[in-house]
Amino acid sequence: MAILNILVINAGSSSLKVSCFNGNLKRMHEAQLSGMQSAEPQLSFDDEKSVLAKPFSVKKGLELIFDLIRDFKPDAIAHRVVHGGSKYHSCQKITEEVLGDLRALSKLAPLHNPACVEGVEEAQKQFIGLPQFAVFDTAFHHTLPPAAYTYGIPHALTQKHNIKRYGFHGIAHSYLWKTYSRLTQDDEGSIITLHLGNGCSSTAIKKGFSIDTSMGFTPLEGLLMSSRSGDIDPSIIQFLTQEENLSVDEVTTLLNNKSGLLGISEISTDMKTLLSANTPQAKLAIEVFCYRCLKYIGAYQNILQGCNAILFSGGIGENASAIRKQIVAGLAWQGVFLDDQANEKAKGLSPGVSELISSAQSKIALYAVGVDENQAIAEETRESLLS
C-alpha cells in the first residue's frame, strides 16, 4: 500500500500543532495555534505568524487550520493521544471501540484526552472515510517493571481499577533515545531524559527501554510543571477540602491549573517571564523547579547504575540555558560540566536539531534536543500502515 501523505494532529487543551508530511516524510506544511483559550491566540503557519482576536476551541482551531492546508490531500490522519491506559502499547487504527476507550480514559488525563477526542471527531467530519490512527504517549513506558509501576495501595484496588504508573511524554522520550543512539551509535547505553515544557517529565532509559519515569497514573505526578504541582503529599488534598471548604474536584483543578511555577511564583506559568522577574517568589519557583529535576536525576542514576548521557528537551529544556546551567551545577561533584558557550548557543532549536552542550572534561554527555513529536508520530503511523 503506497501511502503518499500523512496529516498529524497534536491537540492539547491550550494549543494545536498540525503537520503535513509527504510519502518521504518531508514536511510540507506546519501550523500551530497556541494560547487558544487566551484573548489573543497566536497562529503560525509555515513562515508566517499572526495574532488572532478571539479564543478558539479545538474544533474551531482545526477548522481554521484545515482551511489553511486545503491544498494538502492526506491519505491518512494520525493523532497524538496522551493516555492509552493498559490496553494500547502501539499505534492503533481508530475505530469506534478505540474512540470509546479514549473517551473513557479522559478521566485520567482531563487536560489532554478530551482535546484529542475532539480532534478525531472534527477530522472525521472534514476527511470523511480516511483512516485515522492514534499514537500514544503512554506506549513507550509499557516496559516499566512492576517495582517501578506499582503503587503502595491494596493490590485488589490496583487490579480492579488498573491503577499503576503509566508514564507520559513517551513519544518525546522515545525520540530522545533514538537521537542519542543515532549520535553515538550506542544501542546498549543508559540515559536520563528531561522533557521540560508546559508539562515536565523525566525518564530512565536503558538499552532503549523505559525502566522508570516521573509521571504516573496521570500526568500530574513528578516534576514541578508550569501549572501542575508534581509530587505532593496526598493528604494535602484532604487537608484542603477541610480547611478551604473545597471539593475534591476543585482541589484537583487547583493542582493541575493553579499550582507549579504559577502557584509558587504568583506571576506566570512562563519560565522566560520568571527568569526576568526579580521577586522572591519567582526565584523560589525556579529553585524548586531545578531542585526537583536534580532530585530525579540522582534517583535515576541509581536505578540505571550510572548513565552515559542526560538529554534536555521541551520548551524549557531546549531554550532556557540558565535552567540547564542551574540543574547541571548540582552535578559538578561527580564531574559533570557544561560547556558554557555551547549551552548559551543552544536556544531556539529547530525540530530535529541536537546540540552537545557538555564540556570535553564532563564524565556524562549533555545534550539539548529539539524534539520533533509530529515527525515521530508520522513515522510510527507509516510503519503501521505498511506492516
Side-chain angles (χ1 to χ4, degrees):
M1 181 180 183
I3 299 300
L4 299 178
N5 296 326
I6 296 175
L7 174 65
V8 176
I9 299 174
N10 191 332
S13 58
S14 62
S15 66
L16 268 174
K17 188 174 183 179
V18 176
S19 303
C20 304
F21 296 91
N22 67 13
N24 296 319
L25 292 183
K26 178 182 178 182
R27 191 180 256 100
M28 307 304 293
H29 292 298
E30 180 83 4
Q32 183 164 357
L33 183 61
S34 57
M36 292 195 303
Q37 305 304 318
S38 69
E40 295 184 333
Q42 296 181 347
L43 173 68
S44 64
F45 178 62
D46 295 340
D47 295 324
E48 298 181 2
K49 294 184 178 181
S50 58
V51 177
L52 307 178
K54 63 179 181 178
F56 280 80
S57 64
V58 172
K59 179 180 184 299
K60 291 297 183 182
L62 283 177
E63 286 179 355
L64 173 66
I65 292 173
F66 288 159
D67 186 57
L68 292 173
I69 62 170
R70 57 186 176 273
D71 63 320
F72 181 77
K73 307 300 180 184
D75 297 289
I77 302 171
H79 299 264
R80 175 196 176 218
V81 180
V82 166
H83 212 311
S86 297
K87 187 173 180 179
Y88 299 112
H89 299 157
S90 60
C91 179
Q92 295 287 320
K93 186 174 182 180
I94 297 176
T95 62
E96 283 304 313
E97 178 185 355
V98 172
L99 192 56
D101 288 339
L102 300 188
R103 292 191 184 100
L105 286 165
S106 290
K107 61 185 177 181
L108 300 184
L111 298 181
H112 304 92
N113 271 37
C116 172
V117 170
E118 192 174 350
V120 172
E121 292 172 342
E122 184 60 26
Q124 287 176 334
K125 293 176 184 177
Q126 294 286 337
F127 300 96
I128 297 172
L130 282 189
Q132 299 199 54
F133 294 83
V135 177
F136 298 93
D137 250 345
T138 47
F140 181 62
H141 301 299
H142 82 277
T143 55
L144 264 60
Y149 70 64
T150 302
Y151 286 108
I153 63 175
H155 179 67
L157 290 175
T158 65
Q159 294 296 103
K160 180 180 180 180
H161 299 291
N162 289 318
I163 298 173
K164 58 183 284 189
R165 180 180 304 282
Y166 289 102
F168 300 90
H169 290 155
I171 297 167
H173 291 296
S174 174
Y175 185 97
L176 290 169
W177 165 259
K178 291 175 182 176
T179 297
Y180 167 79
S181 179
R182 173 177 54 80
L183 291 172
T184 63
Q185 301 300 306
D186 178 13
D187 294 327
E188 301 292 316
S190 297
I191 67 171
I192 296 170
T193 52
L194 290 163
H195 188 62
L196 309 176
N198 184 51
C200 302
S201 63
S202 181
T203 297
I205 303 175
K206 189 170 187 176
K207 297 181 180 180
F209 296 99
S210 172
I211 63 171
D212 205 349
T213 192
S214 59
M215 285 180 167
F217 181 59
T218 74
L220 181 59
E221 188 181 0
L223 302 175
L224 192 79
M225 306 176 219
S226 63
S227 66
R228 284 176 249 172
S229 65
D231 294 336
I232 65 164
D233 182 338
S235 293
I236 292 174
I237 298 172
Q238 181 186 17
F239 180 85
L240 290 176
T241 62
Q242 295 171 343
E243 297 298 317
E244 294 293 322
N245 196 29
L246 298 173
S247 68
V248 172
D249 284 348
E250 287 172 327
V251 176
T252 301
T253 298
L254 181 148
L255 295 176
N256 276 288
N257 299 334
K258 301 177 182 179
S259 300
L261 293 173
L262 174 63
I264 297 175
S265 73
E266 299 181 320
I267 295 175
S268 176
T269 61
D270 181 58
M271 182 61 80
K272 185 177 181 180
T273 300
L274 297 183
L275 285 167
S276 63
N278 189 27
T279 69
Q281 289 305 117
K283 292 177 181 178
L284 178 60
I286 293 169
E287 185 177 353
V288 175
F289 183 90
C290 295
Y291 178 85
R292 292 278 185 92
C293 290
L294 186 63
K295 185 176 177 180
Y296 269 92
I297 290 171
Y300 288 167
Q301 283 178 321
N302 278 333
I303 295 297
L304 293 167
Q305 298 182 8
C307 72
N308 302 97
I310 299 170
L311 286 75
F312 295 88
S313 68
I316 298 172
E318 295 169 20
N319 297 293
S321 58
I323 296 300
R324 295 192 299 252
K325 185 174 183 177
Q326 188 165 332
I327 294 169
V328 175
L331 301 172
W333 67 273
Q334 56 178 299
V336 181
F337 304 105
L338 283 169
D339 179 316
D340 288 334
Q341 186 174 357
N343 183 49
E344 285 302 317
K345 182 181 176 183
K347 295 178 182 178
L349 299 178
S350 299
V353 174
S354 56
E355 296 286 350
L356 179 68
I357 58 173
S358 51
S359 71
Q361 294 76 34
S362 183
K363 293 182 179 179
I364 295 175
L366 305 168
Y367 293 91
V369 180
V371 165
D372 193 341
E373 284 186 330
N374 283 14
Q375 178 87 27
I377 292 168
E379 289 175 0
E380 191 166 342
T381 300
R382 186 175 71 168
E383 289 176 9
S384 180
L385 284 161
L386 297 177
S387 63

